[in-house]
Amino acid sequence: MTAPPGLRNFVDNRFVDGVAHFDKISPVDGSLVAQVHEAGREVVDRAVEAARRALEGPWGRSTVGERAALLRRIADRIEERSDELLAAEIADTGKPTALARQEVARAAANFRTFADVVAATGMDSFMTELPEGRRALNYALRRPLGVVAVIVPWNLPLLLLTWKVAPALACGNTVVVKPSEETPSSASLLAEIMVEAGVPKGVFNVVHGFGTGSTGEFLTAHPAVDGITFTGASATGAAIMRAAAPQVRPVSFELGGKNAALVFADADLDRAVEGLARSVFTNTGQVCLCTERVYVEASVFEEVALGLAQRARELRFGRPDDPLTTTGPLISLKHREKVLGYYRLAEQEGAHCLAGGGVPELGGGLDAGAWIEPALWTGLDNRHRVAREEIFGPAAVLIPFTGEDEAVRLANDTPYGLAAAVWTRDLERGHRVAGRMRVGMSWVNTWYLRDLRSPFGGAGMSGIGREGGTHSLHFYSEPTNVCVAL
Ligand code: NAD
Ligand code: 6OD
């Protein structure tokens, strides 16, 4: 089976037309990547109906062992078709090949991990002792939620999609997936892989399109959807919550962040600067976990700031397949306009820019792309908007602190609560400060190091709930307690 011309929706294991088309444009050079079929309300309805029907068929009676085996076959097929998935991710996002390769590997790992987790995880059981020697056996069964809507953003498209689809299928749900309008390609390829791996009709469906007033809204408002898992901006999460509210449907949200890094004077500063460079610039700053606020103990502030600025100057823009490229473009010209708006705002707020802060002139056919230089600002504090609002680009504000309590107070002074990184040689301090961060994930002397069994998510405006390992099983299934009088 080969991909049809244009990217179509996928319903009941068949590719189907939408109601309109939109163009997916390359952020590298402005060329056309694909024409995409936008699912109207009718295609969304058909996808949800197909997903409902599949729950009534053999899929609804499948065993954990059968589903774990299926997940492993999907992982195998992802690995076999990794070059195509890689090409799709690169075409949509323009990210360097090495980075995209990690994401494809992670997609396979997502399926393998949740095959293992679902196969190994039991449920509570209690022998209840009653008066006069009577007893009752209580045990819990894990039932799927039903039809799960999966809505994901453009920054790590395949990684984030499979991070949700794998546990949803492991628990016996059916899914209707809406990838970002900016990154439709890998989801369509994944649909082919699902068929090849033997996923039954209606279990995995893809609907393409936009959010408000389009596919995303039609899907989240659909009365036959039983749960919604979403990764994206906090404001979108709020809109989806409103759509979920009338039927009190469960939601799992991984949202935005304004993540802090804390560098103490006793840190291995070379390692800290290296880690900061990774956490500020990876994927051109378009990872929800990226650091946008760097708090540095005053005595080493200058050394760290100059070191990070030097790392910014060493970034190399270029086509994704050039082995010298370290940094791709932003996802779109529209997103670049938003990020450049923050660059202008930083200037108005009186920032001193240590590096970059504009649009690079690259030539070689790249000038129609969404390229941007990094920006590092000093001279600001937590009151400034660029230190408070999520930018989602390769930019950070650097602020000095004195003492542990001030560092913790500054880092926690945000409505977000996704991730933090603490750099120190004093491990006692590392544990202590990491534990005082009001976030979902706190790293010590590293950043974005993952164990897929651990809880992932955000506090405050950064999300609701946790996914990962058994935490995902809790969201994607509904326990039924059975009490048997003996
Ligand atoms: P976005 O919220 O604009 O879009 C995400 C998805 O939601 C897209 O598929 C979009 O079409 C859809 N959508 C938009 N409006 C909708 C609506 N009203 N109803 C239903 N669906 C709707 O986010 P984005 O711009 O694609 O991604 C960037 C944002 O995502 C950043 O804020 C970033 O921090 C966040 N993010 C968070 C995490 C995390 O794990 N916490 C991970 C990645 C990205
Ligand atoms: O690694 C993950 O599991 C995950 N959900 C990453 C999210 C990154 C945000 O951009």
Side-chain angles (χ1 to χ4, degrees):
M1 188 181 186
T2 53
L7 291 175
R8 297 199 287 168
N9 303 286
F10 186 75
V11 176
D12 238 356
N13 281 12
R14 292 184 49 222
F15 285 100
V16 300
D17 289 349
V19 290
H21 292 92
F22 62 94
D23 291 342
K24 164 59 202 167
I25 300 297
S26 165
V28 171
D29 55 12
S31 60
L32 179 70
V33 173
Q35 285 205 311
V36 190
H37 286 253
E38 180 180 354
R41 201 183 283 280
E42 192 222 313
V43 175
V44 171
D45 286 351
R46 278 162 55 195
V48 175
E49 280 158 22
R52 278 236 81 77
R53 268 196 311 277
L55 288 168
E56 308 306 324
W59 177 255
R61 297 183 291 277
S62 60
T63 63
V64 167
E66 286 164 350
R67 295 198 297 271
L70 178 65
L71 262 58
R72 293 195 177 95
R73 288 200 300 278
I74 296 169
D76 290 344
R77 288 301 292 152
I78 287 175
E79 282 161 356
E80 283 156 25
R81 297 190 64 178
S82 61
D83 285 349
E84 291 164 82
L85 289 164
L86 191 64
E89 288 295 82
I90 290 172
D92 280 355
T93 63
K95 62 183 62 173
T97 302
L99 196 57
R101 203 180 292 285
Q102 289 171 20
E103 273 180 56
V104 176
R106 180 53 207 278
N110 285 340
F111 282 99
R112 288 200 204 290
T113 297
F114 286 106
D116 292 347
V117 169
V118 77
T121 307
M123 295 287 276
D124 286 340
S125 70
F126 302 98
M127 187 60 78
T128 310
E129 292 173 355
L130 302 161
E132 295 157 15
R134 287 177 303 129
R135 295 192 307 165
L137 173 63
N138 274 280
Y139 63 92
L141 297 171
R142 180 174 291 123
R143 287 186 304 108
L145 275 182
V147 177
V148 177
V150 178
I151 302 185
V152 283
W154 43 258
N155 60 329
L156 308 172
L158 185 65
L159 185 160
L160 291 174
L161 179 57
T162 52
W163 173 241
K164 291 173 177 303
V165 168
L169 298 190
C171 292
N173 299 282
T174 58
V175 295
V176 180
V177 161
K178 197 204 85 63
S180 167
E181 54 275 30
E182 290 292 352
T183 50
S185 303
S186 55
S188 287
L189 267 175
L190 191 63
E192 293 180 18
I193 285 172
M194 291 287 172
V195 176
E196 291 162 0
V199 173
K201 273 170 40 170
V203 170
F204 177 85
N205 306 276
V206 180
V207 287
H208 289 296
F210 302 87
T212 310
S214 174
T215 312
E217 190 177 316
F218 301 151
L219 179 59
T220 52
H222 199 295
V225 164
D226 299 298
I228 303 170
T229 179
F230 168 72
T231 298
S234 301
T236 311
I240 292 177
M241 242 176 135
R242 286 191 288 276
Q247 289 178 281
V248 200
R249 287 173 296 175
V251 295
S252 174
F253 286 167
E254 296 178 7
L255 306 177
K258 188 73 184 174
N259 308 305
L262 281 65
V263 185
F264 287 90
D266 64 12
D268 174 338
L269 292 187
D270 288 341
R271 188 168 160 197
V273 167
E274 170 68 31
L276 289 175
R278 227 164 54 76
S279 73
V280 177
F281 304 132
T282 292
N283 204 30
T284 321
Q286 302 167 115
V287 180
C288 60
L289 308 162
C290 275
T291 301
E292 293 194 4
R293 297 179 293 144
V294 183
Y295 299 102
V296 188
E297 196 152 16
S299 59
V300 294
F301 184 80
E302 197 174 334
E303 184 178 348
V304 170
L306 293 178
L308 189 57
Q310 177 57 29
R311 297 303 304 255
R313 282 189 285 274
E314 287 165 9
L315 299 177
R316 291 286 166 268
F317 304 114
R319 292 200 177 265
D321 58 355
D322 181 339
L324 296 180
T325 299
T326 59
T327 307
L330 291 174
I331 190 66
S332 64
L333 292 176
K334 182 171 162 220
H335 186 51
R336 184 172 71 175
E337 210 27 63
K338 178 189 156 195
V339 176
L340 286 174
Y342 280 106
Y343 284 18
R344 288 190 289 272
L345 178 63
E347 209 178 322
Q348 288 157 19
E349 291 188 311
H352 172 62
C353 188
L354 288 181
V359 171
E361 283 179 22
L362 298 174
L366 301 182
D367 288 332
W371 300 91
I372 194 163
E373 292 170 347
L376 297 171
W377 301 300
T378 58
L380 301 179
D381 61 36
N382 270 9
R383 288 168 299 184
H384 292 98
R385 277 180 58 198
V386 292
R388 303 203 69 77
E389 297 174 18
E390 185 188 48
I391 298 171
F392 220 56
V397 43
L398 286 82
I399 297 173
F401 70 81
T402 308
E404 198 173 299
D405 286 343
E406 187 183 26
V408 170
R409 183 179 58 73
L410 290 172
N412 282 338
D413 173 23
T414 170
Y416 291 107
L418 191 59
V422 181
W423 297 91
T424 177
R425 276 202 180 94
D426 176 351
L427 270 191
E428 220 169 284
R429 188 210 297 273
H431 287 287
R432 191 169 58 235
V433 173
R436 291 176 71 190
M437 294 289 98
R438 197 184 57 85
V439 295
M441 284 81 58
S442 227
W443 281 287
V444 179
N445 294 329
T446 185
W447 174 76
Y448 200 4
L449 194 163
R450 294 281 283 115
D451 181 323
L452 306 186
R453 297 167 299 183
S454 52
F456 187 99
M461 274 178 61
S462 290
I464 296 180
R466 296 291 182 274
E467 297 197 28
T470 53
H471 300 271
S472 296
L473 305 188
H474 292 320
F475 175 71
Y476 293 103
S477 63
E478 198 76 84
T480 296
N481 191 74
V482 180
C483 176
V484 184
L486 299 180

